Amino acid sequence: MTSILSDLDLQETRQKLNQIDANYESIGCLGHGGFGSVFAAKKKSGRRVALKVMPMDTSDEDEYEKFTREIEAVVKLNSCMDEEKKLGNNRDLSIVYFEDWYIASNFVCIVMNYVDGGTLASEIERKTEPYAERRIGWYALQLCDALAFAHERGVSHHDVKAANILIDASGGGKLLLADFGTSIKPGEECVGFTKCYASPELLASFELEDFSSLRPDKIDSYALGCVLYELLLLQRLEQVSGQQTLAQFIDGAGLDAAMESLPLPFLPPDTTKGNIVGYTHELKNLVMNLLQPNASDRWLPSQLQQPLRNDPKSPLLMPHIAAAKTASPGVPVTVDNIQLGMFVQRGPDWNDGDRDGPIGSVGVVVSLDADALYAEVAFPSRTSQTPPEPICCRIGASNKFELKVGPMPLPDFVSNPNDLRHDGIVPIDSTVAVTLGGKLNGKCEVVGIDKSLGVMMVAPLELLPIKSLAKPQIWQLQESSFCSPREHVMHPSSWRLDQGPFTDLLEQEEFENVLSLFFGTIDLPDHLKKEYFPVQKIERTQDTWLFESYARRKEKVAMENWGLANEVDAFMTSDGLHQNNIQMFSSGGKEFSMKALNILGKIGPSSSTKQILLCRVVTGRAASASSPSNLICHTECIGKDMYRCRGPCLAYPQYIITYKNQAPRDFRYGVTTEAANAPQSSPEQRSPTKECVICMERPVKYVMVPCGHAVLCDRCNSPYQLRKLKSKCPECRATFQRTMMIYGRVVNDE
């Protein structure tokens, strides 16, 4: 059974969606999951943003608390990031940025910065060749920076995983850490995690239901190690874990066994050159430091920042490339193929004029940058007066590639011309004086010297123009890749199709659920008395074609409505459905209501056997008299708690309820006062019930303390509605401390 939205819920939903529509234009759905849907949208300025829309009962304290937890954590980090920039620290941290958010009774929406590369999880699934070691190191550094920044400011993510890491393709493939819904502050205990990324101590605490002794920053460290392990494995842990998590495998077989089970080997430094594909032991140690089973032995992200940035053996600074094939001449230089001493030329996005010399000049990479989207190169100056000056070039930053791989191999212009030279690195001869800009054999020039490595970088003076090859295609979301915000749902597995399109409902629980919707909740004004409308039979309809049509229509409505289909259980007239072909059923123009009482009045008061439909209805955007004419609306409000479908396939008739009308002749249909189920009395005998001042519909059941005003019904006394009142009594505006239920009936003063 679907959830029931009240008339007020639909009105509030419509108002919030109208606000969103006024500020953003939907482009397409980027993805969806159990949380909801993420849409690409465009602001009036033309700038793209992402809208994360999550169906949620905001009166449910547990659900609402997770939403506010994410908002508070990200807004705090965003504020700290803004302060850092004001102080002159322009470091671009890999943390998602929230611009705005909206809250309605049945959904919440977060507006965040738009990234067009999907998630790291989807990249791993698309990957067919091993990750280059330098890219793994670059990803590790970005995530260490983000987590260390958050930890220093009292926020632990607590659900680090590839699916919660976004890729900014337009920014050269930079990462963004997202989804802080389970983040915790100092002193708080665990509120959620993903099992296959969980550390051993977290799994043990979960079994004991005691999280008091955990260190959340160490839990984030272990999860980061799991993400790096996925990059080495080239598979997601969800796909390989089965009944055993990585932590459980390590506990049984050992950490060394886990590292040895990876598809590529870890090779000594002298064998990682050329076309031998493998990773270095330095990368192995990095991952093992994060996956230590004992939390006290596990490194924190903050402890890895400096080694990754400054250690010469860091995957970001090592001279050679690992786990990547040597690049072909003419290919743009990227984080995946760059190495110290590489021959390069001006690339497709060159932006430094003639600083490289004439076209065809060959330069050399003289320094690697821990920010892997940049590199320093030097070209021959060709004069003795001006030594070569390094140029900082983009090799992916802002998706720009200023260098291409130069001609390789070249005849050895330093010693024996019959040998081939693959790079410009030459050991320094202590017996020969070496100066920057010095010429060797009249064929090459010294363009760089690295005394720590004991080498110099030399570049040929000969001009060797080569053809540029295509820029690397970083995967980006295209409009053709936009998906439906709703997974296509097949018909229920409980259907017994061999019994035809109509079958008696025999399951007791399902039968009782239908009855409860038909009669309503006892003690509420719209409750029906069973003796007035005795139910004789309930039949379930089973038509796969009609259900498939409804499911496809629901997907389309969700796409047009920010992922919100707004599905409800509602009543309609049967119009002889049982006698006709069920596939002739159409919702176009049909009226419906979430209250059976309103539809009973449409059917008529005669005492003969009657039928009413309980349908699953997609309300989508319910139009009102004030709705802008340019909005797509799927249903329309035609009266109090009454709606009309604006098109076909918006409803599926789930059940046919057969009943007898034995209500008194003066029974009032389609009203929601307490007198609806009783014969009318004279005005002198009637004591009018005071209605809730919020919904103006239900009887008052709660008073405000301490002012004592009786103003709220049982539904408007929800945590969500109380938050909206901002601790002010709606009648006298005095501050209230709590509400108190009253028994009996409150009547109007007049």
Side-chain angles (χ1 to χ4, degrees):
M1 307 297 289
T2 54
S3 60
I4 297 181
L5 295 176
S6 70
D7 185 56
L8 287 175
D9 291 333
L10 290 174
Q11 290 179 32
E12 185 188 23
T13 297
R14 178 173 61 238
Q15 292 169 359
K16 289 295 180 182
L17 289 172
N18 289 348
Q19 291 178 24
I20 295 173
D21 282 329
N23 295 313
Y24 309 99
E25 177 188 346
S26 175
I27 299 173
C29 182
L30 299 174
H32 59 79
F35 64 89
S37 304
V38 179
F39 279 79
K42 187 166 58 176
K43 300 185 74 171
K44 290 182 178 179
S45 63
R47 185 171 64 86
R48 288 194 174 192
V49 293
L51 270 65
K52 181 179 179 181
V53 184
M54 297 170 284
M56 178 185 299
D57 179 4
T58 51
S59 65
D60 185 306
E61 292 188 3
D62 291 336
E63 285 195 59
Y64 190 77
E65 191 270 342
K66 183 177 181 180
F67 164 69
T68 55
R69 180 180 293 274
E70 179 171 21
I71 291 290
E72 289 173 2
V74 175
V75 168
K76 178 180 181 179
L77 295 177
N78 291 165
S79 299
C80 293
M81 290 159 60
D82 292 339
E83 289 298 321
E84 291 271 317
K85 290 181 179 179
K86 289 179 182 178
L87 296 174
N89 185 355
N90 292 319
R91 188 169 42 137
D92 192 10
L93 288 165
S94 298
I95 296 175
V96 70
Y97 197 94
F98 287 176
E99 298 186 12
D100 201 355
W101 54 89
Y102 298 84
I103 304 172
S105 58
N106 70 319
F107 80 94
V108 294
C109 172
I110 300 174
V111 183
M112 63 185 76
N113 48 332
Y114 171 77
V115 292
D116 55 356
T119 65
L120 183 58
S122 61
E123 182 184 81
I124 293 172
E125 291 174 350
R126 291 191 306 270
K127 196 80 171 165
T128 57
E129 294 184 352
Y131 279 93
E133 180 162 331
R134 203 179 309 278
R135 181 169 290 275
I136 295 177
W138 181 46
Y139 281 177
L141 178 58
Q142 293 180 77
L143 295 173
C144 283
D145 281 346
L147 289 171
F149 184 85
H151 293 166
E152 289 168 7
R153 286 148 186 84
V155 177
S156 296
H157 190 282
H158 224 272
D159 196 20
V160 177
K161 59 182 178 181
N164 288 341
I165 299 169
L166 307 177
I167 300 177
D168 184 6
S170 297
K174 301 188 79 169
L175 302 183
L176 285 176
L177 186 60
D179 201 342
F180 283 74
T182 57
S183 62
I184 57 177
K185 296 176 287 190
E188 289 185 328
E189 293 189 357
C190 169
V191 295
F193 62 93
T194 301
K195 185 177 179 180
C196 62
Y197 292 84
S199 63
E201 69 272 18
L202 179 56
L203 292 174
S205 296
F206 178 73
E207 292 295 328
L208 297 173
E209 297 184 358
D210 179 10
F211 301 97
S212 58
S213 61
L214 296 178
R215 282 192 57 180
D217 52 354
K218 294 281 188 176
I219 291 171
D220 282 350
S221 295
Y222 195 89
L224 173 58
C226 290
V227 172
L228 300 184
Y229 190 86
E230 286 181 307
L231 300 179
L232 296 171
L233 186 63
L234 217 61
Q235 279 186 286
R236 296 182 60 193
L237 289 179
E238 288 97 328
Q239 299 169 340
V240 297
S241 293
Q243 300 299 316
Q244 192 178 45
T245 67
L246 179 59
Q248 291 166 338
F249 176 82
I250 292 173
D251 182 56
L255 184 53
D256 286 331
M259 302 304 292
E260 290 170 3
S261 64
L262 295 168
L264 291 186
F266 292 96
L267 304 173
D270 58 346
T271 60
T272 52
K273 295 182 180 180
N275 291 324
I276 300 177
V277 179
Y279 295 112
T280 66
H281 279 271
E282 285 72 24
L283 180 60
K284 178 182 180 181
N285 292 335
L286 167 66
V287 178
M288 291 181 69
N289 284 334
L290 291 168
L291 291 178
Q292 288 297 324
N294 190 332
S296 61
D297 298 330
R298 195 178 307 146
W299 286 39
L300 291 170
S302 58
Q303 295 174 298
L304 291 170
Q305 289 175 286
Q306 290 305 315
L308 281 169
R309 275 198 167 84
N310 301 321
D311 191 329
K313 294 183 179 180
S314 162
L316 293 167
L317 301 177
M318 60 184 180
H320 54 276
I321 57 175
K325 296 179 180 179
T326 303
S328 302
V331 170
V333 177
T334 69
V335 62
D336 299 302
N337 61 27
I338 191 170
Q339 61 180 338
L340 192 68
M342 172 185 278
F343 295 129
V344 296
Q345 292 183 323
R346 62 170 69 177
D349 298 312
W350 179 260
N351 194 36
D352 285 293
D354 291 328
R355 291 183 65 188
D356 60 333
I359 293 177
S361 180
V362 179
V364 174
V365 176
V366 296
S367 177
L368 299 173
D369 196 323
D371 187 345
L373 298 182
Y374 297 88
E376 283 195 341
V377 299
F379 291 87
S381 63
R382 292 183 168 79
T383 65
S384 57
Q385 294 80 15
T386 308
E389 293 185 3
I391 305 172
C392 182
C393 296
R394 292 173 291 181
I395 56 171
S398 302
N399 215 16
K400 299 294 184 182
F401 300 88
E402 297 185 283
L403 300 173
K404 67 183 177 185
V405 178
M408 293 190 304
L410 295 175
D412 191 341
F413 39 73
V414 178
S415 54
N416 186 354
N418 295 321
D419 293 336
L420 296 179
R421 174 162 290 282
H422 292 269
D423 56 41
I425 298 178
V426 178
I428 296 177
D429 187 346
S430 59
T431 63
V432 179
V434 177
T435 58
L436 195 63
K439 307 297 186 292
L440 299 179
N441 300 334
K443 297 181 179 180
C444 60
E445 181 177 319
V446 178
V447 295
I449 299 174
D450 191 328
K451 293 183 179 180
S452 63
L453 295 176
V455 298
M456 58 182 174
M457 274 67 78
V458 296
L461 295 172
E462 183 181 0
L463 300 180
L464 300 167
I466 60 173
K467 182 180 179 181
S468 295
L469 300 181
K471 290 172 61 174
Q473 294 297 315
I474 298 180
W475 188 87
Q476 290 180 274
L477 285 164
Q478 305 296 327
E479 290 195 15
S480 59
S481 67
F482 287 154
C483 60
S484 166
R486 281 285 180 274
E487 291 186 7
H488 191 67
V489 180
M490 301 299 292
H491 63 80
S493 58
S494 60
W495 281 10
R496 297 190 294 272
L497 298 177
D498 58 324
Q499 298 184 8
F502 304 100
T503 180
D504 289 347
L505 190 58
L506 302 177
E507 290 83 357
Q508 186 64 28
E509 183 178 356
E510 190 175 356
F511 191 92
E512 293 295 332
N513 286 338
V514 176
L515 285 181
S516 67
L517 290 176
F518 178 69
F519 289 114
T521 305
I522 297 177
D523 296 333
L524 287 184
D526 48 18
H527 170 63
L528 298 176
K529 290 186 177 181
K530 294 183 180 180
E531 58 268 29
Y532 286 2
F533 302 96
V535 172
Q536 297 183 318
K537 182 172 63 172
I538 300 177
E539 295 172 281
R540 181 171 59 202
T541 62
Q542 304 178 145
D543 187 273
T544 56
W545 179 86
L546 189 60
F547 190 91
E548 288 287 309
S549 300
Y550 170 78
R552 285 191 294 270
R553 180 63 170 151
K554 183 170 69 171
E555 292 176 31
K556 187 174 186 297
V557 169
M559 180 62 82
E560 297 170 344
N561 201 42
W562 300 105
L564 299 170
N566 292 333
E567 196 175 14
V568 299
D569 288 318
F571 295 93
M572 289 183 177
T573 57
S574 68
D575 296 333
L577 177 67
H578 203 291
Q579 289 76 29
N580 298 329
N581 184 344
I582 189 173
Q583 294 184 3
M584 298 295 291
F585 175 84
S586 174
S587 62
K590 286 187 71 69
E591 297 178 3
F592 67 92
S593 175
M594 279 72 83
K595 298 176 181 178
L597 183 66
N598 292 333
I599 302 301
L600 292 178
K602 300 283 183 182
I603 297 174
S606 68
S607 60
S608 61
T609 301
K610 300 288 185 180
Q611 289 182 335
I612 188 173
L613 299 180
L614 176 57
C615 299
R616 182 179 292 184
V617 183
V618 175
T619 65
R621 188 79 58 90
S624 67
S626 60
S627 294
S629 58
N630 63 327
L631 289 182
I632 297 176
C633 294
H634 310 94
T635 54
E636 58 181 317
C637 181
I638 58 175
K640 190 174 180 60
D641 295 321
M642 286 295 297
Y643 296 84
R644 180 185 291 118
C645 294
R646 282 191 168 183
C649 303
L650 287 171
Y652 177 80
Q654 300 181 89
Y655 304 99
I656 302 175
I657 303 173
T658 303
Y659 67 96
K660 292 199 73 172
N661 190 333
Q662 298 178 353
R665 288 187 177 182
D666 53 0
F667 181 85
R668 295 177 61 194
Y669 295 91
V671 295
T672 56
T673 65
E674 282 193 345
N677 288 321
Q680 292 296 296
S681 57
S682 64
E684 292 77 20
Q685 296 173 317
R686 195 182 307 133
S687 180
T689 301
K690 183 176 181 180
E691 294 178 337
C692 171
V693 301
I694 302 298
C695 67
M696 304 297 291
E697 178 182 341
R698 302 176 187 86
V700 164
K701 290 289 185 181
Y702 287 84
V703 299
M704 318 303 283
V705 178
C707 68
H709 287 114
V711 290
L712 297 181
C713 66
D714 51 357
R715 186 173 294 182
C716 292
N717 189 56
S718 67
Y720 169 73
Q721 191 63 56
L722 292 177
R723 282 194 296 270
K724 290 179 66 175
L725 292 176
K726 298 181 179 179
S727 300
K728 300 293 184 182
C729 171
E731 191 157 299
C732 67
R733 306 308 298 164
T735 301
F736 70 87
Q737 298 173 355
R738 61 190 179 93
T739 61
M740 179 181 295
M741 186 175 182
I742 54 177
Y743 297 90
R745 186 172 61 173
V746 179
V747 296
N748 288 311
D749 295 334
E750 62 273 9

